[in-house]
Amino acid sequence: MFIQASQMADTNASAPGWLRTEGGLIVERGAGTAPVPPDQRFDMLLPPFVDVHTHGARGIDFGMLGSDPGPAIAFHHENGTTQLNATIATAALAEVKKRITELAPLVWSGELAGIHLEGPWISPEKRGAHESSLLRVPAAAELLDVVEAGGGTVRLITLAPELPGAMSAISALVAHGVVVAIGHSNASAEIAREAVDAGASDVTHLFNAMSGLHHRTPGVASVALLDGRLSVELIADGQHVCDDAVDLAIRLAGDRLLLVSDSMAASGLGDGHFQIAGSPVEVRRGIARIVGTGALAGSTSVLRDGVDHLLTRGIDPRSIALWTNGNPARLLNLQVPALRRNDPADFVGVTAGRISCVSHRGELSFF
């Protein structure tokens, strides 16, 4: 199959180009006009998405003991995300370890890119939807015991560096090959920088559930924007972060951003009542909020929704490719398809400014 694009956008360039796919692979890639009339035309082609922070979809929470994550993984694939990190939110420690052992075979088989633990080692002041009675302080030995339960599949852990024992835990985790993210944290800028010095290299969903940008008491958000050692996750669904704040992040940390969905089990199901991290959640008009407080609780979007939002705002497609493919792959040291010859034929097609098609192993699905 020949596919022509007015813009072939990857992390290096954005120019007219074409692909030829066969047997689920990209067997040729060229610049300009395809040598034969193409089978499909798009205004733009993007590489497939990598989501390092998603809790599930289609009624499946990746942290739910005994549940089959297959429907959630399939939903993300259908929407252009072909590599994803299954995020387990705060739960009892025994449950977390058990769920890690259930998900680990899917990482070894390549169905999941890895496992992300978001809690329970987070700040009570910035816990969001995470049940307060389940939170813990980050003892290094305890964290390493949890990591070892996954046999190398736990790739990312979010913790609050101001908690007792956090700095030694960060150093121990990094020494064991785990990426540490600063998140759900009320840390001062000084403590956040100390965490980076200890080895933390990522920030969980910028601006959400963290100390912010006060002009006399800067917090985690300030360090995220200014410290070039940090990768910075951003939820660009138009709800969690306003466009002005997104533009600020692009201006100050544009080469370090990663788009994440933070999607929950409600994704793909519509409005209703759900649960995440031990807290009841109501989804109304597509927005998930904690029952009783009204605070945002994860999202019901997928990366496709965030990309559509950025495309409608005229954001450079090369940057979008970097934030949804290049940077997340680099953070977790993943080999992912990226519109290269001999890559799996995974890509996202854009027509009239919105995603119109997803290819997974050469099978095209249209929206």
Side-chain angles (χ1 to χ4, degrees):
M1 177 186 295
F2 280 88
I3 298 149
Q4 179 72 53
S6 300
Q7 285 182 282
M8 188 87 72
D10 57 26
T11 60
N12 299 311
S14 180
W18 55 273
L19 302 176
R20 183 169 73 86
T21 66
E22 184 178 310
L25 297 175
I26 296 172
V27 294
E28 289 185 86
R29 172 176 171 166
T33 303
V36 300
D39 301 284
Q40 296 290 339
R41 291 181 181 271
F42 297 99
D43 294 337
M44 185 189 302
L45 285 186
L46 292 167
F49 308 143
V50 180
D51 192 351
V52 304
H53 188 158
T54 166
H55 294 271
R58 278 190 180 151
I60 301 298
D61 186 320
F62 286 133
M64 188 187 307
L65 281 175
S67 65
D68 175 11
I73 295 171
F75 182 73
H76 285 279
H77 285 179
E78 291 162 11
N79 284 279
T81 299
T82 55
Q83 295 276 348
L84 58 148
N85 222 24
T87 298
I88 301 175
T90 294
L93 207 58
E95 293 181 15
V96 172
K97 290 175 66 175
K98 175 62 176 175
R99 187 56 173 167
I100 289 171
T101 64
E102 292 177 350
L103 293 176
L106 297 176
V107 180
W108 296 327
S109 70
E111 293 175 76
L112 290 171
I115 297 169
H116 167 211
L117 304 183
E118 187 184 20
W121 306 281
I122 60 174
S123 165
E125 290 83 10
K126 297 292 183 180
R127 63 185 178 87
H130 297 246
E131 168 56 43
S132 60
S133 66
L134 297 172
L135 302 184
R136 304 177 69 87
V137 295
E142 177 178 282
L143 277 136
L144 292 179
D145 179 60
V146 172
V147 167
E148 288 167 3
T153 61
V154 177
R155 303 277 168 81
L156 177 64
I157 293 180
T158 293
L159 57 76
E162 70 273 25
L163 296 177
M167 297 304 169
S168 59
I170 291 170
S171 298
L173 289 168
V174 172
H176 278 72
V178 178
V179 176
V180 175
I182 303 170
H184 287 276
S185 168
N186 203 31
S188 66
E190 290 76 14
I191 291 176
R193 291 192 190 97
E194 186 181 349
V196 181
D197 291 340
S201 58
D202 186 32
V203 172
T204 297
H205 45 50
L206 178 66
F207 299 122
N208 297 117
M210 65 177 57
S211 49
L213 286 167
H214 191 276
H215 59 289
R216 287 191 299 273
T217 54
V220 173
S222 304
V223 175
L225 291 170
L226 295 173
D227 195 317
R229 295 172 292 177
L230 287 168
S231 296
V232 182
E233 300 176 16
L234 185 67
I235 307 171
D237 60 359
Q239 299 292 336
H240 281 74
V241 182
C242 75
D243 289 343
D244 283 349
V246 169
D247 291 345
L248 178 65
I250 292 171
R251 181 76 62 88
L252 294 177
D255 60 340
R256 300 182 282 117
L257 292 180
L258 297 77
L259 295 192
V260 296
S261 69
D262 197 19
S263 65
M264 58 177 293
S267 300
L269 293 183
D271 292 353
H273 291 269
F274 303 88
Q275 190 172 60
I276 186 169
S279 297
V281 173
E282 181 181 12
V283 177
R284 185 180 298 177
R285 293 188 292 277
I287 302 174
R289 296 187 182 276
I290 302 169
V291 173
T293 70
L296 289 172
S299 83
T300 61
S301 67
V302 288
L303 282 186
R304 171 190 160 202
D305 301 305
V307 170
D308 270 343
H309 183 66
L310 295 179
L311 287 171
T312 60
R313 299 190 61 230
I315 302 298
D316 184 351
R318 291 172 298 179
S319 295
I320 293 174
L322 180 67
W323 303 335
T324 59
N325 181 276
N327 282 352
R330 190 174 301 111
L331 178 71
L332 297 184
N333 195 28
L334 302 173
Q335 296 296 317
V336 301
L339 302 179
R340 297 173 297 239
R341 185 180 177 188
N342 296 324
D343 275 352
D346 294 352
F347 56 81
V348 175
V350 177
T351 304
R354 298 188 70 84
I355 294 171
S356 59
C357 175
V358 164
S359 172
H360 184 56
R361 302 302 190 264
E363 295 292 326
L364 273 58
S365 301
F366 292 87
F367 302 109

